[in-house]
Amino acid sequence: MAFNKVWCALALGFLLPFSCAHTDFFTSIGHMTDLINTEKDLVVSLKDYIKAEESKLEQIKKWAEKLDQLTATATKDPEGFLGHPVNAFKLMKRLNTEWGELENLVLKDMSDGFISNMTIQRQFFPNDEDQTGAAKALLRLQDTYNLDTDTLSRGNLPGVKHKSFLTAEDCFELGKIAYTEADYYHTELWMEQALKQLDEGEVSSADKVYILDYLSYAVYQQGDLGKAMALTKRLLELDPEHQRANGNMKYFEYIMAKEKEGNKSSTDSEEQEKETEVKKKDYLPERRKYEMLCRGEGLKMTPRRQKRLFCRYYDGNRNPRYILGPVKQEDEWDKPRIVRFLDIISDEEIETVKELAKPRLSRATVHDPETGKLTTAHYRVSKSAWLSGYESPVVSRINTRIQDLTGLDVSTAEELQVANYGVGGQYEPHFDFARKDEPDAFKELGTGNRIATWLFYMSDVSAGGATVFPEVGASVWPRKGTAVFWYNLFPSGEGDYSTRHAACPVLVGNKWVSNKWLHERGQEFRRPCTLSELE
C-alpha cells in the first residue's frame, strides 16, 4: 500500500508532503496573552521607526496601523479575544509568518531601535510547530462540533466577544497544513473554502492556480477522479502551460479509459477504501458518543431516573466546619454517582491558584501504562502545573476543604493539578484509575490506586469544554466556582469502568480547572471495603 501511494504520487508528478509533524503542540491562553502584549510592543516599536522614515516606509506604516487597531482591541480583553479560535490561529500565523516577512522588508533600510526590539522579542515568538498546532486545533473543533468551513471562516461561533474571520490566504494555509499531515479530507474542505472566497471577489495574495493544484490532488487521493479532472481543467484554463497539471490530465484520462473498459486498477480500489476511511472521520463508536456528548446531543435520562437526582445542603456528614454553614450540593448523575458542589471556591481563591500556576504551566502529561512514568500524549492537549499545600495558605485551605467534604484523607493524594485548556484544548476519553493491566501506573507514589476525583471549574466557558462520560452518556458543563466529585473505584477496590470520561475541546472561551486525585492509602477506615466486588 505504501509503495502504491508513492508510485501514484510520482506518476502524477506531485510532490509528497515535505514534512509530517506528529507533535500536537498546544499553547495555553495564559501564555498567549503574553504574545498579545509582545505583539503590541512590536507595533509601538514599529510606529516609532516609521516616524523616522515616513516617506520611505508607507507600505510598512499601513501594515502597522492595521495591527495597531487589532492589538489595541486584544489587549483590553486578552483572554476573551483569544477565546475565539480564529483569533488564536491568526495570532500564531502573524507572529510566525507575517512578522518574518515584515522583517525582510524592513532590513532594506533598518533602524537600530526596531531591529534590536525585534531581536529581543523573537525568542518568544511561536514557530512552525506552534502554528501547525493552532491549525490542528481549528480542524479538531470543526470535526467535534460539526462546523462547516464557511461558518468557521466567517467566525460565526456562539458566545464570541471578538468576532474574527479567516481570509482566503488563511484558509489556504489551513489546507496546506492538513496536506502536510496527509489529511486530504480537510485539505479539500479548506482549499475549496479559499477558492470560494476568491470567487466571491475577495482581494488576496492567495493564487487560484496553487489552490487548484492542492485541491485536485486532495480530491484524487480520496478517489473522486471525475472531480479531480474538472478541477485540473479549471487550473489549465488559468495556466495552460502548467506542466504538472498537463501531465495529470493525461494520467486521469488514461485511468478513466481503463475504467470504461471495466479494468479498474487495484490502486483505485485502495484509494476508494481510503476515501471511506478518511471521510467518515468517526473511527469508533466511543468517538461518536464522545463528540455527540460534546455537542450536547447525549443520552437523556428517563423521567424516573431524573426524579432520583436531588439538590441539598450538605454538611460533610456532620463535619464541624459545615454543620452551621453547609454547602450546596446537587446530583449530576446517578450511576456512577457524580455530585456537584456549588459556590465551593471563591473568585479570590481562583485568581490566587491561577497566578501560582501560570509561571509553571507546561504541556500536560499522562501516565504511560507500560513504564508507569509521565509522558505527553496527542490525546491530551492542555497545559498544567502542580501546586503543593505547603507553598500557599490558599492551596492548603482548598485541600482541607476537599478532605472535609469527601471524608477522605488528602495526605496521600496527589498535589493540586491546575490545567488550562485554550483553543481546541481537550483530553480524550480516559480512566483516572489504573487498570489491572497497568500494575505499575502509580507504583512510584506508593499510595495505591486513584480512588476518587475532585474537579474544580475555575472559569465559565462560552462554548464547548464539557466533561463527558461516554460509557453512560453524562455531560457535565463548566460553571465557575463549582466542583464535581466521583469515585473511580468501588469500595472493593475494583475499578468502575463507567467513570471513563473526557474533556471536550474548548470551542469558544478559556477553560481553567484544577483537580485533586485521591488515593487508596489512608482510606481503609474512611471507606471500608465491601464483600461484593462491584459495590
Side-chain angles (χ1 to χ4, degrees):
M1 183 65 176
F3 174 83
N4 287 336
K5 283 196 283 187
V6 173
W7 183 87
C8 284
L10 293 174
L12 284 166
F14 281 105
L15 292 175
L16 290 173
F18 62 88
S19 67
C20 189
H22 294 291
T23 303
D24 198 354
F25 190 86
F26 175 78
T27 303
S28 72
I29 294 290
H31 283 177
M32 285 196 288
T33 54
D34 295 333
L35 294 181
I36 285 285
N37 292 319
T38 296
E39 192 171 36
K40 178 63 178 178
D41 290 342
L42 287 172
V43 175
V44 172
S45 177
L46 180 60
K47 292 184 73 176
D48 290 340
Y49 169 71
I50 290 171
K51 290 177 183 178
E53 297 189 33
E54 185 99 30
S55 61
K56 297 180 182 180
L57 304 172
E58 188 61 30
Q59 183 180 355
I60 298 176
K61 183 179 179 182
K62 291 178 181 179
W63 196 341
E65 289 172 347
K66 179 184 74 173
L67 290 178
D68 187 36
Q69 182 178 3
L70 176 64
T71 53
T73 302
T75 51
K76 290 179 182 176
D77 182 16
E79 291 199 359
F81 182 83
L82 290 169
H84 195 305
V86 170
N87 288 333
F89 166 71
K90 288 172 75 70
L91 175 62
M92 296 288 104
K93 181 173 176 290
R94 280 198 306 277
L95 290 173
N96 180 50
T97 305
E98 296 177 10
W99 276 101
E101 294 172 356
L102 177 63
E103 183 179 10
N104 291 333
L105 182 61
V106 173
L107 279 171
K108 294 177 182 178
D109 190 5
M110 183 65 69
S111 72
D112 292 339
F114 178 78
I115 195 63
S116 62
N117 191 19
M118 191 79 162
T119 302
I120 293 170
Q121 299 290 3
R122 182 170 287 280
Q123 62 183 312
F124 305 110
F125 280 16
N127 55 28
D128 288 342
E129 190 176 29
D130 302 331
Q131 185 174 331
T132 298
K136 288 167 73 175
L138 280 178
L139 301 183
R140 184 161 57 243
L141 292 173
Q142 182 179 17
D143 287 348
T144 302
Y145 296 104
N146 280 345
L147 301 173
D148 62 76
T149 50
D150 195 64
T151 296
L152 198 50
S153 178
R154 306 301 178 190
N156 296 323
L157 302 176
V160 296
K161 292 183 179 179
H162 306 278
K163 188 173 180 179
S164 186
F165 63 92
L166 292 168
T167 64
E169 185 184 2
D170 295 331
C171 296
F172 179 51
E173 184 68 29
L174 279 169
K176 284 198 298 182
I177 289 172
Y179 174 83
T180 62
E181 299 286 320
D183 178 359
Y184 302 116
Y185 170 74
H186 285 110
T187 303
E188 178 184 358
L189 291 180
W190 285 102
M191 291 301 175
E192 284 185 337
Q193 182 64 27
L195 201 60
K196 174 185 175 183
Q197 291 180 204
L198 291 179
D199 288 343
E200 291 173 350
E202 181 180 319
V203 177
S204 173
S205 60
D207 190 326
K208 286 186 179 181
V209 170
Y210 284 111
I211 293 171
L212 287 164
D213 198 5
Y214 279 99
L215 181 55
S216 59
Y217 179 62
V219 168
Y220 168 77
Q221 282 289 82
Q222 295 179 89
D224 194 341
L225 186 59
K227 185 176 179 180
M229 288 184 70
L231 291 166
T232 305
K233 287 178 182 177
R234 183 176 175 185
L235 190 162
L236 289 170
E237 289 173 1
L238 297 173
D239 184 1
E241 304 301 320
H242 197 285
Q243 185 176 358
R244 182 164 53 249
N246 279 297
N248 292 344
M249 185 57 72
K250 292 178 182 178
Y251 181 76
F252 291 152
E253 289 170 350
Y254 167 76
I255 294 295
M256 193 70 79
K258 295 285 286 182
E259 287 182 4
K260 288 180 180 179
E261 294 172 6
N263 296 322
K264 193 169 182 183
S265 69
S266 60
T267 299
D268 294 311
S269 298
E270 290 171 353
E271 293 301 331
Q272 283 187 335
E273 290 173 8
K274 183 176 181 180
E275 175 193 19
T276 302
E277 176 187 341
V278 173
K279 285 201 171 185
K280 282 186 177 178
K281 273 294 180 188
D282 32 18
Y283 313 118
L284 299 171
E286 181 183 64
R287 182 75 190 184
R288 288 196 293 271
K289 288 191 287 185
Y290 161 57
E291 293 184 349
M292 287 178 64
L293 289 168
C294 290
R295 295 191 296 268
E297 301 170 2
L299 300 173
K300 303 299 180 184
M301 272 194 178
T302 62
R304 185 174 182 178
R305 284 182 67 188
Q306 189 73 38
K307 287 179 180 179
R308 289 200 287 262
L309 303 183
F310 296 94
C311 55
R312 65 188 68 82
Y313 283 102
Y314 182 68
D315 62 10
N317 290 324
R318 306 291 293 171
N319 186 286
R321 289 190 179 92
Y322 295 98
I323 291 176
L324 295 180
V327 297
K328 290 178 281 188
Q329 185 191 74
E330 61 184 26
D331 296 328
E332 286 281 350
W333 205 257
D334 54 355
K335 291 183 179 181
R337 185 166 186 253
I338 306 169
V339 295
R340 187 194 294 263
F341 294 89
L342 284 69
D343 302 321
I344 201 63
I345 184 171
S346 68
D347 288 348
E348 292 76 13
E349 289 173 325
I350 288 173
E351 290 307 310
T352 298
V353 169
K354 286 168 62 176
E355 290 306 312
L356 288 170
K358 282 179 181 178
R360 312 182 201 175
L361 287 174
S362 59
R363 178 69 188 270
T365 57
V366 298
H367 273 93
D368 187 319
E370 295 184 3
T371 65
K373 296 181 178 180
L374 294 174
T375 183
T376 59
H378 71 279
Y379 54 83
R380 186 178 191 185
V381 188
S382 64
K383 285 203 167 184
S384 65
W386 298 85
L387 303 180
S388 299
Y390 64 79
E391 63 186 293
S392 168
V394 171
V395 178
S396 178
R397 188 163 66 243
I398 288 171
N399 289 340
T400 300
R401 187 176 307 153
I402 294 171
Q403 177 166 292
D404 289 343
L405 292 174
T406 62
L408 299 175
D409 187 352
V410 298
S411 66
T412 58
E414 295 173 51
E415 293 178 345
L416 187 71
Q417 184 187 49
V418 183
N420 180 213
Y421 295 83
V423 53
Q426 66 166 0
Y427 191 176
E428 291 183 5
H430 62 282
F431 297 103
D432 279 351
F433 64 91
R435 273 74 68 212
K436 289 183 177 179
D437 58 351
E438 303 170 331
D440 297 330
F442 305 113
K443 185 177 181 179
E444 59 187 39
L445 299 178
T447 53
N449 210 343
R450 287 173 175 167
I451 192 173
T453 297
W454 178 286
L455 176 65
F456 285 110
Y457 292 112
M458 302 197 301
S459 67
D460 292 312
V461 180
S462 300
T467 306
V468 299
F469 295 73
E471 292 294 313
V472 296
S475 296
V476 180
W477 299 91
R479 287 157 59 187
K480 186 178 180 181
T482 69
V484 291
F485 173 78
W486 67 87
Y487 281 102
N488 298 304
L489 307 179
F490 293 110
S492 63
E494 292 295 319
D496 184 351
Y497 284 79
S498 68
T499 62
R500 185 170 174 83
H501 61 286
C504 295
V506 176
L507 178 58
V508 178
N510 180 21
K511 180 181 176 183
W512 282 92
V513 298
S514 58
N515 62 274
K516 195 79 171 174
W517 283 307
L518 299 109
H519 283 247
E520 291 177 295
R521 189 67 55 80
Q523 321 304 344
E524 292 84 357
F525 298 104
R526 293 172 181 260
R527 194 189 190 219
C529 182
T530 60
L531 297 178
S532 173
E533 190 174 280
L534 299 181
E535 286 184 2

